[in-house]
Amino acid sequence: MMAVMFVAATQFTPVAGDIDANVRTIAGLVRAAGAEGARVVVFAELCLTGYEPSLIRDTPALVLTEDDPRLAPVREACRDAGAAAVVNGPVRTGDSEGPNGSVAGITSLVIGPDGSLLARYDKQHLYGVEAEVFEPGTADGRFALDGVRFALATCYDNRFPELAERAAADDCAVYLASSVLSADNDSFEEVYPVRARDFGLHVVLGNVLGPNEDGVGGGGAGAWGPDGGRIADAGPEKPGFVLAEVR
């Protein structure tokens, strides 16, 4: 039988364009969640910069690298907490521009409990203005920790059930969804619980609070069990995290 693991789903209001401030918040949440037993801590889409595609387009300094020194406080927090962190931001894709002139993806970096990079996932399905700013990814995201296999997906990706289908076929038990959702987004009823139920996965959502280029983040970070039922909900207003037990 697979050992019990706790995953923390987080929510906070990022400061638009202020990577250092957001990194401090992220590191604090990793430490707090790790102190309560979390082994993986999941954050929202573009949590490192705020969901601000136009600002990112116009501010090249907001594009990070995989080993960016600005992420050092997160790596240190992961080591101190003994937890992995799934952090998302605009991350350079390579040395050359992509077809639309972009050099960055909407990227989840998985920083392991030892501070090393466990995995990278670039959002495959870009939404709206994102396609003018970022390059889409071409590969699924996977990592394993303590014998549990995880899949990665980002916001609009979750509208495409084949990502979750491939995750289940690849023996993943937990599907981590970094998103930016308003309170009235139908994904809370029509997407996340459906992916969980249809493919027998734990689905864990990191979401945002506060204003952003897409609207106002509605919180509700949390998780659904393999039967599609809610097993954790951080609520609509308070920044912080909620723990979900997965197996």
Side-chain angles (χ1 to χ4, degrees), residues 10-15 44 50-51 179-181 206-212 215-221 234-240:
T10 70
Q11 58 189 37
F12 72 95
T13 303
V15 180
Y51 186 85
S179 300
V180 170
L181 303 173
N207 198 26
V208 295
L209 298 169
N212 58 73
V216 179
E237 297 177 354
K238 185 179 179 181

Side-chain angles (χ1 to χ4, degrees), residues 3-7 174 202 204 223-226 231-232 243-247:
V4 172
M5 176 186 284
F6 290 99
V7 178
V174 187
H202 286 88
V204 183
W224 292 261
I231 59 173
L243 295 178
E245 181 180 316
V246 304
R247 295 177 180 268

Side-chain angles (χ1 to χ4, degrees), residues 17-73:
D18 194 334
I19 292 173
D20 290 342
N22 296 325
V23 161
R24 287 194 295 271
T25 299
I26 290 165
L29 285 168
V30 170
R31 285 192 168 89
E36 294 195 18
R39 279 287 276 167
V40 178
V41 188
V42 184
F43 292 88
E45 180 181 28
L46 293 177
C47 63
L48 290 166
T49 58
Y51 186 85
E52 307 291 343
S54 298
L55 178 62
I56 294 165
R57 178 194 59 208
D58 297 336
T59 314
L62 292 180
V63 176
L64 298 100
T65 60
E66 290 184 4
D67 60 351
D68 202 292
R70 290 173 288 185
L71 297 178

